[in-house]
C-alpha cells in the first residue's frame, strides 16, 4: 500500500491542477488566436492600454516594495520573540488574510478617503484636503491598501529565514576586524536579500493581478489591467477575444515578475550550494 501511495499518490493532485489550473489558462490561447490573432491588434490599438500597463506596474512595485520592507521588519521581530508571544503575534498577522477585499477597501475609505477621519485630522492641522483625500484612489494608494494583506504573507514567509539565520559568519567577520556595518552587509544582507526580493516579487505579482479591492476602492477612477479585463468580461463587454488577449498579457507580466524573483532565489541557492 505504501509503495502504491509513493508511486501514484500524487496523481489526484496532478489531475486537479490540470483540470482547474492548466486547462483554463490554456483555453485562453485559442480564444485570443481567433480571427488570425486580430484580437491582439485591437488590444494594442486601445489608447488606454499603455496607461493601464504603467499604472499596473506602479501598483505592483509599490505594493511589493512596501510589503517587502514592512514584512521583513515584522519577520525579524517575530524571530526575536519568545515562543508564547510569537504564537499570538502570528495569529494576529494571519487575520488580514481572511478579510474580504471589499472590507479592506471600505476600511481604507473610512480612514483615508475624502471624508476619512485621518484625512479630517490632517486637514485640521493645515493640509490640503483635496490632496490628502485623493491619494488613496491612485496606484500608490491602492498599493498601500494591498499591502494590508500582503505584508502578513511576506512576514510569515520570511520568519523561518530569520529564525534559522546563522549569525556566526557575522561574528567571525567582526573578529577579523570588519566594521559592524561591513560585517552585517557582507553576511546577513547577502544571505537574506534573495529571499526578501523573491517574496517582494511574489506579492507584487499578486497585486498586479488582483481586482476585487481595486474595484471596491477606486471603481473606474484608476486604469489598470485587471479592471480593463473586468470591463471586457462584465455584462457591458462584448469582445471576448480581446479579453483573452488581455488575460495573456496580464498573465505574462505576472509570470515575468515572479520569474525574476525566482531567478534571484535560485541563483543564490546555487551559489550557496556551490560554496559547500
Amino acid at each position: 500500500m505504501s509503495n502504491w501511495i509513493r508511486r501514484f499518490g500524487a496523481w489526484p493532485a496532478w489531475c486537479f491542477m490540470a483540470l482547474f489550473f492548466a486547462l483554463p489558462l490554456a483555453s485562453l490561447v485559442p480564444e485570443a488566436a481567433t480571427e488570425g490573432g486580430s484580437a491582439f491588434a485591437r488590444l494594442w490599438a486601445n489608447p488606454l492600454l499603455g496607461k493601464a500597463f504603467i499604472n499596473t506596474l506602479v501598483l505592483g512595485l509599490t505594493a511589493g516594495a512596501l510589503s517587502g520592507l514592512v514584512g521583513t521588519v515584522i519577520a525579524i521581530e517575530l524571530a526575536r520573540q519568545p515562543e508564547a508571544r510569537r504564537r499570538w503575534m502570528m495569529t494576529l498577522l494571519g487575520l488580514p488574510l481572511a478579510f474580504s477585499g471589499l472590507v479592506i477597501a471600505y476600511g481604507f475609505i473610512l480612514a483615508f478617503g475624502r471624508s476619512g477621519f485621518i484625512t479630517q485630522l490632517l486637514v485640521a492641522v493645515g493640509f490640503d484636503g483635496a490632496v490628502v483625500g485623493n491619494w488613496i484612489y491612485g496606484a500608490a494608494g491602492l498599493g498601500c491598501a494591498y499591502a494590508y494583506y500582503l505584508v502578513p504573507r511576506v512576514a510569515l514567509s520570511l520568519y523561518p529565514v530569520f529564525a534559522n539565520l546563522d549569525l556566526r559568519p557575522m561574528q567571525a567577520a567582526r573578529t577579523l576586524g570588519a566594521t559592524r556595518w561591513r560585517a552585517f552587509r557582507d553576511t546577513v544582507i547577502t544571505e537574506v536579500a534573495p529571499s526578501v526580493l523573491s517574496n517582494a516579487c511574489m506579492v507584487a505579482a499578486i497585486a498586479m493581478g488582483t481586482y476585487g479591492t481595486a474595484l471596491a476602492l477606486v471603481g473606474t477612477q484608476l486604469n489598470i489591467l485587471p479592471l480593463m479585463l473586468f470591463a471586457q468580461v462584465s455584462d457591458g463587454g462584448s469582445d471576448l477575444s480581446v479579453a483573452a488577449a488581455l488575460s495573456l498579457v496580464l498573465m505574462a507580466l505576472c509570470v515575468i515578475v515572479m520569474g525574476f524573483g525566482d531567478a534571484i532565489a535560485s541563483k543564490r541557492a546555487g551559489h550557496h550550494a556551490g560554496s559547500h
Side-chain angles (χ1 to χ4, degrees):
M1 182 65 178
S2 60
N3 291 333
W4 186 92
I5 293 177
R6 282 197 298 268
R7 181 173 298 182
F8 302 108
W11 277 104
W14 284 115
C15 291
F16 181 87
M17 291 289 290
L19 286 174
F20 299 102
F21 178 75
L23 186 60
L25 294 181
S27 65
L28 294 171
V29 177
E31 180 66 29
T34 57
E35 301 176 4
S38 61
F40 285 99
R42 296 196 299 274
L43 178 61
W44 305 142
N46 190 332
L48 300 177
L49 179 64
K51 185 64 175 178
F53 191 87
I54 293 174
N55 285 340
T56 304
L57 278 178
V58 172
L59 173 61
L61 293 176
T62 300
L66 182 60
S67 301
L69 177 62
V70 178
T72 299
V73 174
I74 294 177
I76 294 173
E77 189 62 24
L78 282 175
R80 296 172 52 189
Q81 298 301 319
E83 179 64 27
R85 185 180 301 173
R86 180 167 60 245
R87 189 180 299 114
W88 67 258
M89 288 178 66
M90 294 178 73
T91 300
L92 291 177
L93 271 176
L95 288 178
L97 300 177
F99 293 160
S100 165
L102 179 61
V103 173
I104 295 172
Y106 187 55
F108 269 79
I109 291 173
L110 291 179
F112 303 101
R114 297 182 182 93
S115 300
F117 65 90
I118 293 180
T119 301
Q120 297 305 311
L121 290 176
L122 293 175
V123 170
V125 297
F127 285 88
D128 186 354
V131 175
V132 297
N134 286 326
W135 75 275
I136 192 64
Y137 303 108
L142 186 57
C144 292
Y146 281 176
Y148 180 83
Y149 59 85
L150 294 178
V151 164
R153 291 175 183 264
V154 175
L156 295 175
S157 297
L158 290 180
Y159 157 69
V161 175
F162 291 100
N164 299 306
L165 183 64
D166 187 1
L167 296 178
R168 288 177 297 180
M170 184 177 70
Q171 295 167 353
R174 291 283 289 151
T175 302
L176 294 174
T179 63
R180 185 184 301 273
W181 164 247
R182 178 69 181 273
F184 180 77
R185 184 192 67 187
D186 291 347
T187 58
V188 175
I189 292 183
T190 56
E191 183 69 24
V192 303
S195 297
V196 173
L197 289 175
S198 178
N199 276 271
C201 290
M202 177 189 68
V203 296
I206 293 174
M208 290 177 183
T210 304
Y211 83 97
T213 304
L215 184 64
L217 183 61
V218 302
T220 58
Q221 298 182 64
L222 181 63
N223 183 23
I224 56 176
L225 295 179
L227 294 184
M228 282 188 65
L229 177 59
F230 176 77
Q232 289 292 335
V233 300
S234 62
D235 292 338
S238 58
D239 199 336
L240 296 182
S241 297
V242 170
L246 182 55
S247 299
L248 292 174
V249 170
L250 180 57
M251 183 172 64
L253 178 61
C254 294
V255 168
I256 289 172
V257 172
M258 293 189 65
F260 177 74
D262 288 342
I264 294 174
S266 299
K267 183 178 180 181
R268 174 58 185 171
H271 175 75
H272 187 72
S275 64
H276 289 78

